[in-house]
Amino acid sequence: MLRQWSVQGEQAPGEPEPEHAGEELWEQEMKRLHSSQEPVRVLPYAMVDKRFIRQLREPEGVKTSCWQQWRRRQETAGRRLGEAAQRLARGCGLWEGALYEIGGLFGTGIQSYFTFLRFLLLLNLLTLLLTTSLVLLPLVWLHPPDPGPALNFTLQCPGDLQSQTGVPKFHNQLWNILTGRAFNNTYLFYGAYRARPESSLAYSVRLAYLLSPLACLLLCFCGVLQRMVKGLPQKLFLGQDYRSPLSAKVFSSWDFCIQGQDAATIKKHEISNEFKVELEEGRHFLLVRQQTRAQRAYRLLTYVRVNVLIGLLVAGAISAIFWATKYSQDNKEESLFLLLQYLPPGVIALVNFLGPLLFVFLVQLENYPPNMEVNLTLIWCVVLKLASLGMFSFSLGQTVLCVGRNRTSCESYGYNACDYQCWENSVGEELYKLSIFNFLLTVAVTFLVSLPRRLLVERFSGRFWAWLDREEFLVPKNVLDIVEGQTVTWMGLFYCPLLPLLNSVFIFLTFYMKKYTLLRNSRASLRRFRASSSTFFFQLVLILGLLLATVPLGYVVSSIRSSWDCGLFTNYSAPWQVVPELVALRLLPPGQRILHYLGSQAFSFPLLVLLSLVLTVCVSQSQANARAIRGLRKQLVWQVQEKWHLVDDLSRLLPEPGPGDSLRPESPLSRSSRPRSFCPGFPCPGSPGSRSPRPGPSLKDPTELRGVPVAAHRFRFPSGSKL
């Protein structure tokens, strides 16, 4: 289908015939569309024009092969099936309506926190599914043996005191549930898993139990890394000086498919929040550029001083956690044992509550800009959260596994066998208590702090209550809390395999509590967060927590002696020793030699060379992508300038109206005589009206093309538009 371009004018003497230029432009457009491999459905043309393009690529009388037709049908069916699956997933997605409401009312920054909760719930469910399918179901199918009598071995303990950990002193059932003792003989903890010798099993439950935590951590790492790359801020690719134009948001933000009043209100709030984010970032960008060199040097000195003071506070907090954990484990026989059970989680919660307050106080003393205050406080809060969990793990290792300590039982058995006969269960109980305490703390803050504060502020009036106001919903603080719980879950995958199930329930309930807190008890933060920046920050902290959980697990699996009388690895010097045993039992000699070579130092050199080559290729590709992005930015600017020059040229070629033309209504003939398309001989996108096929352009007076560059066919205006 072709459109006629009817123009009026006279050809200047001595100039070439513009009809040939129009023919050339039309032929170039036809060749480009004919040779292009771009699908017709993505071309910016009307449906009738797309049918003509399809006929152009497949003229009548020329039959395609059966293979091409079958391939095209398969591609179309696969694409439609994928689109239908995506629509179904969006329609049946968890919390879609709640996320849409939160994003519209409070912005995409706060919405990204609740999306992050849904992502963590998905990770925990996948981890639980993997553990159940690889360990629990085969173990139930194979009918594990009944636990035999306890091993009768003599320990050289001080004062001839044997451990009484297995005998509960307090028979309060609720307290046993809170401390995990009620589940010691269930599959929640490591000690309940038992299996026959490997030589009599067709399926190795031990290998599955060993590799399932590693596979879960690898799966979580890949998922987090994918979302982290997807959430990279635009500035990393476009540069720090790039600012997105507000005009694009002004003219393209509204969704004209909205019909309901509630949806329209939510969309208005969403657009308003986007404008606030853009303006706040622009203001911060200008303030940074206006600083002098002396001001920057002074900021640097104050920055170093504040960081030194905060570092000392973090060191003191870590020391308090270490001594609290040590005291709790060394005084199990005292009458205050009930309170000492939750002493380490309580100290960790107190440190994480008081630490950020002190950080904010120290930062505000230096009168930093608001953006710098938030970033500095946030960095140190991340350090404090992760360091507290790391010190908790180290103190447990020093007490239970005698890391850095010399004791008689540690020298004989590799762990503190006098106090912890099944040390895996003891570590699992500590992580279980920490997870329970974090969730109970969230419930207490929601219903015992935020809710009464909101009721008091609404009930009373005065200067104090106006200053108190509702609680501010801080996205970074809530993210750090949920990341701490997820890190504890990852740390307990080996000792407490069903801890992801518990954490999934906690995340599910946390979503509704946080939603209630946001909508009823809190006010939105004054600082707006962009969704891409927030998502990148969330995934970065989550990866740090994942690495913090992986390092102790790798050390325990490869180097620490397992318990003598519980669990799957009672007869192994370390859990990893089951791998060489299975290699010797199940693999043929050639396969054994291949695995020994892959684990030897001779394979490390070619592996290092290969990794170096891959890293070099990745760095080169990233640099090439950066150069391409800069080139595309320059090309975009050049294309805009070219289009404006084209508009100026065409506006000069149009006949100027006479003095009386503006006083009378415009006639249909004069309107039809104007150029309706800048696409010589070819329809513009969305052009209405009936069309008839033509072999070439029809120009009533093609002198209007004078001075138009060859690339004019690339620039199109909507049909019927006036200059």
Side-chain angles (χ1 to χ4, degrees):
M1 299 288 179
L2 300 175
R3 183 192 302 276
Q4 296 182 357
W5 188 1
S6 301
V7 293
Q8 293 180 353
E10 297 181 358
Q11 178 181 352
E15 291 190 1
E17 194 69 30
E19 184 175 358
H20 300 291
E23 290 283 353
E24 292 179 359
L25 293 177
W26 181 80
E27 291 179 359
Q28 290 178 4
E29 187 72 17
M30 294 298 102
K31 290 180 180 179
R32 185 182 69 85
L33 291 172
H34 185 269
S35 60
S36 176
Q37 299 296 328
E38 190 175 8
V40 178
R41 65 189 303 269
V42 301
L43 293 176
Y45 295 106
M47 290 301 298
V48 290
D49 300 331
K50 290 182 179 180
R51 295 191 188 100
F52 172 72
I53 297 173
R54 187 177 289 108
Q55 294 176 3
L56 181 67
R57 294 181 178 180
E58 301 176 3
E60 296 182 0
V62 179
K63 295 184 178 180
T64 57
S65 63
C66 297
W67 166 253
Q68 293 178 350
Q69 294 179 1
W70 180 83
R71 184 179 178 183
R72 186 174 304 154
R73 286 195 299 267
Q74 293 298 321
E75 291 178 354
T76 303
R79 183 177 64 250
R80 291 177 179 175
L81 182 62
E83 293 175 353
Q86 291 180 0
R87 289 194 299 267
L88 181 63
R90 286 194 298 266
C92 301
L94 184 62
W95 302 325
E96 285 292 337
L99 291 176
Y100 178 75
E101 180 184 5
I102 292 171
L105 295 177
F106 300 97
T108 56
I110 294 181
Q111 182 192 27
S112 61
Y113 164 71
F114 290 90
T115 308
F116 182 65
L117 284 177
R118 185 175 63 176
F119 172 68
L120 289 183
L121 178 61
L122 177 62
L123 282 185
N124 282 276
L125 292 179
L126 289 178
T127 302
L128 179 64
L129 178 63
L130 191 62
T131 304
T132 303
S133 59
L134 293 180
V135 180
L136 284 179
L137 293 181
L139 192 63
V140 173
W141 178 264
L142 294 174
H143 300 289
D146 297 330
L151 296 177
N152 187 12
F153 55 89
T154 304
L155 299 177
Q156 301 296 330
C157 298
D160 296 329
L161 293 176
Q162 298 293 329
S163 175
Q164 302 296 327
T165 307
V167 182
K169 291 185 176 182
F170 302 95
H171 301 282
N172 189 336
Q173 190 64 25
L174 177 61
W175 184 255
N176 290 335
I177 292 176
L178 293 178
T179 57
R181 287 186 172 183
F183 309 106
N184 264 337
N185 297 323
T186 64
Y187 285 138
L188 181 63
F189 292 107
Y190 164 86
Y193 292 81
R194 298 179 183 275
R196 296 182 178 89
E198 291 297 328
S199 58
S200 61
L201 292 176
Y203 180 83
S204 178
V205 179
R206 291 183 178 86
L207 183 62
Y209 189 92
L210 177 64
L211 296 184
S212 60
L214 303 179
C216 294
L217 292 177
L218 181 61
L219 177 65
C220 294
F221 178 78
C222 294
V224 173
L225 188 63
Q226 181 184 6
R227 286 178 58 89
M228 184 178 179
V229 173
K230 187 185 298 184
L232 283 176
Q234 273 189 333
K235 293 181 180 179
L236 297 179
F237 299 102
L238 302 178
Q240 295 293 333
D241 297 335
Y242 177 78
R243 308 299 303 170
S244 58
L246 288 176
S247 58
K249 293 185 178 297
V250 171
F251 293 105
S252 62
S253 294
W254 186 253
D255 186 3
F256 290 93
C257 296
I258 293 178
Q259 297 180 358
Q261 184 63 32
D262 295 338
T265 304
I266 292 176
K267 188 64 179 178
K268 290 178 183 178
H269 284 287
E270 181 181 353
I271 297 174
S272 174
N273 292 327
E274 290 181 0
F275 284 142
K276 291 177 182 178
V277 171
E278 290 287 348
L279 295 175
E280 185 176 353
E281 289 184 354
R283 176 177 173 274
H284 174 68
F285 181 74
L286 291 177
L287 290 177
V288 171
R289 295 191 63 178
Q290 291 174 358
Q291 287 183 352
T292 62
R293 186 173 300 177
Q295 290 176 342
R296 293 177 183 174
Y298 176 75
R299 287 294 182 195
L300 180 61
L301 293 177
T302 57
Y303 184 79
V304 172
R305 180 177 60 188
V306 169
N307 279 276
V308 170
L309 294 176
I310 295 178
L312 294 176
L313 290 177
V314 170
I318 292 175
S319 301
I321 294 172
F322 172 77
W323 290 111
T325 307
K326 186 176 182 300
Y327 183 79
S328 174
Q329 297 297 321
D330 291 343
N331 296 273
K332 286 189 172 184
E333 306 301 327
E334 294 187 2
S335 59
L336 295 178
F337 178 59
L338 286 175
L339 299 178
L340 294 178
Q341 284 280 339
Y342 275 89
L343 180 61
V347 173
I348 292 176
L350 183 62
V351 163
N352 290 323
F353 174 74
L354 295 179
L357 297 180
L358 295 176
F359 298 163
V360 171
F361 176 74
L362 291 176
V363 171
Q364 288 180 349
L365 289 179
E366 303 296 339
N367 294 324
Y368 285 120
N371 187 70
M372 191 173 181
E373 281 186 13
V374 174
N375 293 337
L376 185 59
T377 306
L378 188 57
I379 291 173
W380 279 109
C381 288
V382 172
V383 173
L384 180 61
K385 284 278 187 182
L386 299 180
S388 61
L389 290 179
M391 181 53 65
F392 176 73
S393 301
F394 176 76
S395 59
L396 273 181
Q398 191 179 48
T399 306
V400 177
L401 304 177
C402 302
V403 177
R405 300 175 66 180
N406 295 323
R407 301 186 65 168
T408 304
S409 61
C410 295
E411 295 176 357
S412 304
Y413 304 102
Y415 64 96
N416 188 3
C418 292
D419 298 329
Y420 307 94
Q421 293 184 7
C422 188
W423 67 266
E424 290 90 351
N425 273 17
S426 300
V427 175
E429 288 178 8
E430 294 296 330
L431 298 175
Y432 171 86
K433 288 185 292 185
L434 189 57
S435 181
I436 290 287
F437 186 83
N438 289 336
F439 176 71
L440 294 179
L441 187 63
T442 302
V443 175
V445 170
T446 301
F447 297 105
L448 300 181
V449 177
S450 300
L451 179 60
R453 180 176 176 178
R454 190 256 299 180
L455 295 177
L456 290 175
V457 169
E458 291 179 351
R459 176 66 177 82
F460 300 101
S461 61
R463 183 175 301 178
F464 172 76
W465 301 108
W467 170 81
L468 183 62
D469 203 0
R470 296 187 178 188
E471 179 187 2
E472 185 177 4
F473 192 88
L474 299 175
V475 174
K477 175 183 177 299
N478 289 281
V479 168
L480 292 180
D481 292 338
I482 199 67
V483 167
E484 180 184 7
Q486 186 61 43
T487 305
V488 172
T489 302
W490 284 332
M491 293 170 64
L493 284 178
F494 184 78
Y495 318 102
C496 191
L498 296 184
L499 195 57
L501 174 61
L502 196 64
N503 195 38
S504 300
V505 177
F506 291 164
I507 291 176
F508 186 82
L509 298 177
T510 300
F511 181 91
Y512 290 100
M513 287 190 294
K514 292 298 181 181
K515 179 187 174 184
Y516 173 77
T517 301
L518 176 65
L519 297 178
R520 300 294 301 274
N521 300 335
S522 300
R523 55 186 173 90
S525 175
L526 297 178
R527 171 173 168 77
R528 302 285 176 174
F529 293 91
R530 188 179 295 276
S532 59
S533 303
S534 302
T535 304
F536 178 78
F537 165 72
F538 299 164
Q539 310 307 323
L540 179 61
V541 177
L542 197 59
I543 279 188
L544 294 178
L546 182 63
L547 295 178
L548 179 63
T550 305
V551 172
L553 179 60
Y555 174 72
V556 167
V557 166
S558 61
S559 304
I560 299 300
R561 171 77 188 187
S562 301
S563 298
W564 283 95
D565 60 342
C566 69
L568 294 169
F569 307 99
T570 54
N571 298 322
Y572 295 90
S573 59
W576 187 256
Q577 294 301 317
V578 72
V579 177
E581 180 183 357
L582 286 175
V583 168
L585 288 175
R586 305 291 175 85
L587 288 183
L588 297 176
Q592 297 181 20
R593 286 194 294 269
I594 292 175
L595 289 181
H596 283 307
Y597 173 73
L598 294 178
S600 63
Q601 297 181 357
F603 180 71
S604 61
F605 179 73
L607 181 62
L608 181 61
V609 173
L610 179 62
L611 291 178
S612 302
L613 292 177
V614 172
L615 182 61
T616 303
V617 171
C618 292
V619 171
S620 302
Q621 184 65 34
S622 64
Q623 293 177 354
N625 292 339
R627 290 193 298 269
I629 289 174
R630 290 194 296 268
L632 289 175
R633 290 178 59 188
K634 294 180 181 179
Q635 183 180 358
L636 181 61
V637 175
W638 176 80
Q639 287 180 355
V640 172
Q641 294 176 355
E642 182 187 14
K643 291 176 182 179
W644 279 113
H645 286 303
L646 179 61
V647 171
D648 293 339
D649 293 341
L650 293 178
S651 62
R652 286 195 301 268
L653 292 174
L654 290 176
E656 296 182 358
D661 292 345
S662 59
L663 300 177
R664 63 176 182 270
E666 187 177 12
S667 64
L669 295 177
S670 62
R671 181 179 302 176
S672 62
S673 64
R674 295 183 180 178
R676 300 185 64 193
S677 174
F678 286 164
C679 315
F682 197 78
C684 285
S687 54
S690 60
R691 302 173 179 85
S692 59
R694 297 174 58 91
S698 174
L699 301 174
K700 292 183 179 179
D701 191 355
T703 56
E704 297 291 328
L705 289 174
R706 186 184 312 147
V708 179
V710 177
H713 66 282
R714 299 175 182 267
F715 179 54
R716 299 173 170 83
F717 277 172
S719 61
S721 59
K722 300 179 181 180
L723 291 175

